[in-house]
PDB file of all heavy atoms in Angstrom:
ATOM      1  N   LEU H 154     -54.974  22.508  21.566  1.00 98.00           N
ATOM      2  CA  LEU H 154     -55.323  22.416  20.160  1.00 98.00           C
ATOM      3  C   LEU H 154     -54.285  21.836  19.297  1.00 98.00           C
ATOM      4  O   LEU H 154     -53.121  22.232  19.448  1.00 98.00           O
ATOM      5  CB  LEU H 154     -55.710  23.826  19.624  1.00 98.00           C
ATOM      6  CG  LEU H 154     -57.000  24.458  20.099  1.00 98.00           C
ATOM      7  CD1 LEU H 154     -57.218  25.824  19.358  1.00 98.00           C
ATOM      8  CD2 LEU H 154     -58.201  23.575  19.763  1.00 98.00           C
ATOM      9  N   VAL H 156     -52.549  21.832  16.283  1.00 97.00           N
ATOM     10  CA  VAL H 156     -52.298  22.899  15.290  1.00 97.00           C
ATOM     11  C   VAL H 156     -51.653  22.188  14.082  1.00 97.00           C
ATOM     12  O   VAL H 156     -50.723  21.383  14.256  1.00 97.00           O
ATOM     13  CB  VAL H 156     -51.452  24.033  15.831  1.00 97.00           C
ATOM     14  CG1 VAL H 156     -51.021  24.894  14.755  1.00 97.00           C
ATOM     15  CG2 VAL H 156     -52.202  24.763  16.952  1.00 97.00           C
ATOM     16  N   VAL H 179     -56.068  21.740  13.441  1.00 95.00           N
ATOM     17  CA  VAL H 179     -56.774  22.968  12.987  1.00 95.00           C
ATOM     18  C   VAL H 179     -55.750  23.793  12.207  1.00 95.00           C
ATOM     19  O   VAL H 179     -54.560  23.788  12.514  1.00 95.00           O
ATOM     20  CB  VAL H 179     -57.396  23.736  14.091  1.00 95.00           C
ATOM     21  CG1 VAL H 179     -58.358  22.911  14.834  1.00 95.00           C
ATOM     22  CG2 VAL H 179     -56.307  24.242  15.094  1.00 95.00           C
ATOM     23  N   ALA H 180     -56.204  24.475  11.167  1.00 95.00           N
ATOM     24  CA  ALA H 180     -55.352  25.225  10.260  1.00 95.00           C
ATOM     25  C   ALA H 180     -54.590  26.283  11.160  1.00 95.00           C
ATOM     26  O   ALA H 180     -55.162  26.858  12.077  1.00 95.00           O
ATOM     27  CB  ALA H 180     -56.132  25.921   9.127  1.00 95.00           C
ATOM     28  N   TYR H 181     -53.409  26.466  10.824  1.00 95.00           N
ATOM     29  CA  TYR H 181     -52.481  27.371  11.636  1.00 95.00           C
ATOM     30  C   TYR H 181     -53.073  28.775  11.722  1.00 95.00           C
ATOM     31  O   TYR H 181     -53.123  29.335  12.774  1.00 95.00           O
ATOM     32  CB  TYR H 181     -51.077  27.407  11.071  1.00 95.00           C
ATOM     33  CG  TYR H 181     -50.138  28.192  11.913  1.00 95.00           C
ATOM     34  CD1 TYR H 181     -49.480  27.521  13.002  1.00 95.00           C
ATOM     35  CD2 TYR H 181     -49.734  29.451  11.616  1.00 95.00           C
ATOM     36  CE1 TYR H 181     -48.636  28.223  13.801  1.00 95.00           C
ATOM     37  CE2 TYR H 181     -48.837  30.105  12.412  1.00 95.00           C
ATOM     38  CZ  TYR H 181     -48.336  29.519  13.514  1.00 95.00           C
ATOM     39  OH  TYR H 181     -47.365  30.135  14.285  1.00 95.00           O
ATOM     40  N   ALA H 182     -53.624  29.190  10.569  1.00 95.00           N
ATOM     41  CA  ALA H 182     -54.171  30.631  10.460  1.00 95.00           C
ATOM     42  C   ALA H 182     -55.456  30.673  11.329  1.00 95.00           C
ATOM     43  O   ALA H 182     -55.797  31.786  11.755  1.00 95.00           O
ATOM     44  CB  ALA H 182     -54.509  30.901   9.062  1.00 95.00           C
ATOM     45  N   ASP H 183     -56.125  29.626  11.673  1.00 96.00           N
ATOM     46  CA  ASP H 183     -57.396  29.638  12.405  1.00 96.00           C
ATOM     47  C   ASP H 183     -57.197  29.472  13.941  1.00 96.00           C
ATOM     48  O   ASP H 183     -58.097  29.626  14.704  1.00 96.00           O
ATOM     49  CB  ASP H 183     -58.409  28.595  11.932  1.00 96.00           C
ATOM     50  CG  ASP H 183     -58.762  28.723  10.464  1.00 96.00           C
ATOM     51  OD1 ASP H 183     -58.630  29.832   9.940  1.00 96.00           O
ATOM     52  OD2 ASP H 183     -59.128  27.696   9.850  1.00 96.00           O
ATOM     53  N   ALA H 184     -55.968  29.019  14.229  1.00 97.00           N
ATOM     54  CA  ALA H 184     -55.746  28.480  15.614  1.00 97.00           C
ATOM     55  C   ALA H 184     -55.872  29.514  16.705  1.00 97.00           C
ATOM     56  O   ALA H 184     -56.568  29.333  17.704  1.00 97.00           O
ATOM     57  CB  ALA H 184     -54.365  27.867  15.660  1.00 97.00           C
ATOM     58  N   PHE H 185     -55.395  30.733  16.352  1.00 98.00           N
ATOM     59  CA  PHE H 185     -55.434  31.783  17.438  1.00 98.00           C
ATOM     60  C   PHE H 185     -56.922  32.176  17.801  1.00 98.00           C
ATOM     61  O   PHE H 185     -57.205  32.159  19.039  1.00 98.00           O
ATOM     62  CB  PHE H 185     -54.756  33.092  16.935  1.00 98.00           C
ATOM     63  CG  PHE H 185     -54.506  34.057  17.920  1.00 98.00           C
ATOM     64  CD1 PHE H 185     -53.241  34.111  18.689  1.00 98.00           C
ATOM     65  CD2 PHE H 185     -55.451  35.013  18.299  1.00 98.00           C
ATOM     66  CE1 PHE H 185     -53.074  34.992  19.688  1.00 98.00           C
ATOM     67  CE2 PHE H 185     -55.242  35.943  19.283  1.00 98.00           C
ATOM     68  CZ  PHE H 185     -54.018  35.960  20.077  1.00 98.00           C
ATOM     69  N   ALA H 186     -57.724  32.340  16.876  1.00 97.00           N
ATOM     70  CA  ALA H 186     -59.119  32.639  17.090  1.00 97.00           C
ATOM     71  C   ALA H 186     -59.805  31.509  17.841  1.00 97.00           C
ATOM     72  O   ALA H 186     -60.678  31.709  18.740  1.00 97.00           O
ATOM     73  CB  ALA H 186     -59.835  32.975  15.746  1.00 97.00           C
ATOM     74  N   LEU H 187     -59.390  30.246  17.499  1.00 98.00           N
ATOM     75  CA  LEU H 187     -60.064  29.179  18.144  1.00 98.00           C
ATOM     76  C   LEU H 187     -59.676  29.023  19.634  1.00 98.00           C
ATOM     77  O   LEU H 187     -60.384  28.633  20.496  1.00 98.00           O
ATOM     78  CB  LEU H 187     -59.598  27.907  17.328  1.00 98.00           C
ATOM     79  CG  LEU H 187     -60.615  26.726  17.304  1.00 98.00           C
ATOM     80  CD1 LEU H 187     -61.979  27.270  16.854  1.00 98.00           C
ATOM     81  CD2 LEU H 187     -60.142  25.642  16.364  1.00 98.00           C
ATOM     82  N   TYR H 188     -58.361  29.377  19.907  1.00 98.00           N
ATOM     83  CA  TYR H 188     -57.880  29.429  21.291  1.00 98.00           C
ATOM     84  C   TYR H 188     -58.741  30.498  22.077  1.00 98.00           C
ATOM     85  O   TYR H 188     -59.089  30.205  23.250  1.00 98.00           O
ATOM     86  CB  TYR H 188     -56.421  29.803  21.423  1.00 98.00           C
ATOM     87  CG  TYR H 188     -55.582  28.590  21.518  1.00 98.00           C
ATOM     88  CD1 TYR H 188     -54.811  28.101  20.363  1.00 98.00           C
ATOM     89  CD2 TYR H 188     -55.502  27.773  22.636  1.00 98.00           C
ATOM     90  CE1 TYR H 188     -53.995  26.995  20.517  1.00 98.00           C
ATOM     91  CE2 TYR H 188     -54.731  26.688  22.753  1.00 98.00           C
ATOM     92  CZ  TYR H 188     -53.958  26.282  21.681  1.00 98.00           C
ATOM     93  OH  TYR H 188     -53.149  25.148  21.736  1.00 98.00           O
ATOM     94  N   GLU H 189     -59.017  31.663  21.479  1.00 98.00           N
ATOM     95  CA  GLU H 189     -59.798  32.690  22.137  1.00 98.00           C
ATOM     96  C   GLU H 189     -61.217  32.106  22.455  1.00 98.00           C
ATOM     97  O   GLU H 189     -61.750  32.297  23.533  1.00 98.00           O
ATOM     98  CB  GLU H 189     -59.872  33.967  21.344  1.00 98.00           C
ATOM     99  CG  GLU H 189     -58.535  34.705  21.201  1.00 98.00           C
ATOM    100  CD  GLU H 189     -58.709  35.926  20.362  1.00 98.00           C
ATOM    101  OE1 GLU H 189     -59.119  35.840  19.200  1.00 98.00           O
ATOM    102  OE2 GLU H 189     -58.178  36.965  20.887  1.00 98.00           O
ATOM    103  N   GLU H 190     -61.682  31.410  21.493  1.00 98.00           N
ATOM    104  CA  GLU H 190     -63.053  30.764  21.746  1.00 98.00           C
ATOM    105  C   GLU H 190     -62.986  29.723  22.852  1.00 98.00           C
ATOM    106  O   GLU H 190     -63.803  29.669  23.712  1.00 98.00           O
ATOM    107  CB  GLU H 190     -63.445  30.122  20.393  1.00 98.00           C
ATOM    108  CG  GLU H 190     -65.000  29.906  20.180  1.00 98.00           C
ATOM    109  CD  GLU H 190     -65.328  29.374  18.802  1.00 98.00           C
ATOM    110  OE1 GLU H 190     -64.662  29.839  17.868  1.00 98.00           O
ATOM    111  OE2 GLU H 190     -66.159  28.556  18.674  1.00 98.00           O
ATOM    112  N   ALA H 191     -61.999  28.932  22.764  1.00 98.00           N
ATOM    113  CA  ALA H 191     -61.783  27.883  23.835  1.00 98.00           C
ATOM    114  C   ALA H 191     -61.731  28.458  25.243  1.00 98.00           C
ATOM    115  O   ALA H 191     -62.303  27.996  26.205  1.00 98.00           O
ATOM    116  CB  ALA H 191     -60.573  26.951  23.525  1.00 98.00           C
ATOM    117  N   ASP H 225     -44.259  29.969  18.414  1.00 97.00           N
ATOM    118  CA  ASP H 225     -44.583  31.313  18.065  1.00 97.00           C
ATOM    119  C   ASP H 225     -46.070  31.608  18.445  1.00 97.00           C
ATOM    120  O   ASP H 225     -46.327  32.690  19.065  1.00 97.00           O
ATOM    121  CB  ASP H 225     -44.325  31.565  16.533  1.00 97.00           C
ATOM    122  CG  ASP H 225     -44.676  32.936  16.181  1.00 97.00           C
ATOM    123  OD1 ASP H 225     -44.026  33.891  16.713  1.00 97.00           O
ATOM    124  OD2 ASP H 225     -45.612  33.163  15.454  1.00 97.00           O
ATOM    125  N   LEU H 226     -46.877  30.716  18.132  1.00 98.00           N
ATOM    126  CA  LEU H 226     -48.326  30.819  18.484  1.00 98.00           C
ATOM    127  C   LEU H 226     -48.466  30.899  19.982  1.00 98.00           C
ATOM    128  O   LEU H 226     -49.237  31.626  20.522  1.00 98.00           O
ATOM    129  CB  LEU H 226     -49.089  29.585  17.891  1.00 98.00           C
ATOM    130  CG  LEU H 226     -50.653  29.643  18.000  1.00 98.00           C
ATOM    131  CD1 LEU H 226     -51.215  30.939  17.416  1.00 98.00           C
ATOM    132  CD2 LEU H 226     -51.198  28.530  17.257  1.00 98.00           C
ATOM    133  N   ALA H 227     -47.742  29.963  20.729  1.00 98.00           N
ATOM    134  CA  ALA H 227     -47.861  29.957  22.166  1.00 98.00           C
ATOM    135  C   ALA H 227     -47.470  31.293  22.795  1.00 98.00           C
ATOM    136  O   ALA H 227     -48.084  31.775  23.739  1.00 98.00           O
ATOM    137  CB  ALA H 227     -47.056  28.835  22.706  1.00 98.00           C
ATOM    138  N   ARG H 228     -46.472  31.924  22.192  1.00 97.00           N
ATOM    139  CA  ARG H 228     -46.048  33.225  22.706  1.00 97.00           C
ATOM    140  C   ARG H 228     -47.052  34.295  22.457  1.00 97.00           C
ATOM    141  O   ARG H 228     -47.279  35.117  23.360  1.00 97.00           O
ATOM    142  CB  ARG H 228     -44.726  33.570  22.024  1.00 97.00           C
ATOM    143  CG  ARG H 228     -43.517  32.761  22.422  1.00 97.00           C
ATOM    144  CD  ARG H 228     -42.157  33.468  22.256  1.00 97.00           C
ATOM    145  NE  ARG H 228     -41.162  32.680  22.917  1.00 97.00           N
ATOM    146  CZ  ARG H 228     -40.266  31.821  22.231  1.00 97.00           C
ATOM    147  NH1 ARG H 228     -40.369  31.855  20.962  1.00 97.00           N
ATOM    148  NH2 ARG H 228     -39.451  31.126  22.857  1.00 97.00           N
ATOM    149  N   ARG H 229     -47.645  34.261  21.324  1.00 98.00           N
ATOM    150  CA  ARG H 229     -48.675  35.254  20.989  1.00 98.00           C
ATOM    151  C   ARG H 229     -49.818  35.144  21.910  1.00 98.00           C
ATOM    152  O   ARG H 229     -50.489  35.994  22.368  1.00 98.00           O
ATOM    153  CB  ARG H 229     -49.121  35.160  19.554  1.00 98.00           C
ATOM    154  CG  ARG H 229     -48.073  35.837  18.669  1.00 98.00           C
ATOM    155  CD  ARG H 229     -48.536  35.908  17.140  1.00 98.00           C
ATOM    156  NE  ARG H 229     -48.354  34.621  16.497  1.00 98.00           N
ATOM    157  CZ  ARG H 229     -49.318  34.067  15.686  1.00 98.00           C
ATOM    158  NH1 ARG H 229     -50.516  34.597  15.626  1.00 98.00           N
ATOM    159  NH2 ARG H 229     -49.061  32.905  15.125  1.00 98.00           N
ATOM    160  N   LEU H 230     -50.161  33.870  22.197  1.00 98.00           N
ATOM    161  CA  LEU H 230     -51.303  33.565  23.087  1.00 98.00           C
ATOM    162  C   LEU H 230     -51.047  34.044  24.493  1.00 98.00           C
ATOM    163  O   LEU H 230     -51.927  34.617  25.131  1.00 98.00           O
ATOM    164  CB  LEU H 230     -51.628  32.009  23.096  1.00 98.00           C
ATOM    165  CG  LEU H 230     -52.253  31.465  21.902  1.00 98.00           C
ATOM    166  CD1 LEU H 230     -52.189  29.966  21.873  1.00 98.00           C
ATOM    167  CD2 LEU H 230     -53.744  31.910  21.823  1.00 98.00           C
ATOM    168  N   ARG H 231     -49.826  33.838  24.933  1.00 98.00           N
ATOM    169  CA  ARG H 231     -49.428  34.312  26.325  1.00 98.00           C
ATOM    170  C   ARG H 231     -49.622  35.855  26.417  1.00 98.00           C
ATOM    171  O   ARG H 231     -50.158  36.353  27.348  1.00 98.00           O
ATOM    172  CB  ARG H 231     -48.024  33.895  26.613  1.00 98.00           C
ATOM    173  CG  ARG H 231     -47.430  34.588  27.875  1.00 98.00           C
ATOM    174  CD  ARG H 231     -46.072  34.060  28.194  1.00 98.00           C
ATOM    175  NE  ARG H 231     -46.028  32.587  28.307  1.00 98.00           N
ATOM    176  CZ  ARG H 231     -45.950  31.985  29.485  1.00 98.00           C
ATOM    177  NH1 ARG H 231     -45.856  32.702  30.580  1.00 98.00           N
ATOM    178  NH2 ARG H 231     -46.006  30.651  29.581  1.00 98.00           N
ATOM    179  N   THR H 232     -49.088  36.488  25.359  1.00 97.00           N
ATOM    180  CA  THR H 232     -49.240  37.984  25.271  1.00 97.00           C
ATOM    181  C   THR H 232     -50.676  38.426  25.309  1.00 97.00           C
ATOM    182  O   THR H 232     -51.029  39.458  25.903  1.00 97.00           O
ATOM    183  CB  THR H 232     -48.564  38.556  23.955  1.00 97.00           C
ATOM    184  OG1 THR H 232     -47.213  37.901  23.861  1.00 97.00           O
ATOM    185  CG2 THR H 232     -48.385  40.033  24.051  1.00 97.00           C
ATOM    186  N   SER H 233     -51.557  37.618  24.810  1.00 97.00           N
ATOM    187  CA  SER H 233     -52.981  37.990  24.770  1.00 97.00           C
ATOM    188  C   SER H 233     -53.701  37.374  25.960  1.00 97.00           C
ATOM    189  O   SER H 233     -54.968  37.362  25.894  1.00 97.00           O
ATOM    190  CB  SER H 233     -53.664  37.425  23.499  1.00 97.00           C
ATOM    191  OG  SER H 233     -52.906  37.842  22.351  1.00 97.00           O
ATOM    192  N   GLY H 234     -52.967  36.992  26.975  1.00 97.00           N
ATOM    193  CA  GLY H 234     -53.666  36.561  28.234  1.00 97.00           C
ATOM    194  C   GLY H 234     -54.197  35.117  28.173  1.00 97.00           C
ATOM    195  O   GLY H 234     -55.017  34.788  28.928  1.00 97.00           O
ATOM    196  N   ILE H 235     -53.581  34.377  27.286  1.00 98.00           N
ATOM    197  CA  ILE H 235     -53.953  32.859  27.228  1.00 98.00           C
ATOM    198  C   ILE H 235     -52.575  32.152  27.438  1.00 98.00           C
ATOM    199  O   ILE H 235     -52.014  31.597  26.457  1.00 98.00           O
ATOM    200  CB  ILE H 235     -54.695  32.363  26.014  1.00 98.00           C
ATOM    201  CG1 ILE H 235     -55.910  33.309  25.728  1.00 98.00           C
ATOM    202  CG2 ILE H 235     -55.041  30.992  26.071  1.00 98.00           C
ATOM    203  CD1 ILE H 235     -56.682  32.984  24.540  1.00 98.00           C
TER     204      ILE H 235
END
Side-chain angles (χ1 to χ4, degrees):
L154 284 184
V156 171
V179 301
Y181 189 78
D183 302 338
F185 192 92
L187 214 50
Y188 265 106
E189 291 181 309
E190 201 172 325
D225 179 62
L226 185 55
R228 292 210 169 98
R229 283 187 281 132
L230 286 164
R231 170 175 302 255
T232 311
S233 308
I235 306 176

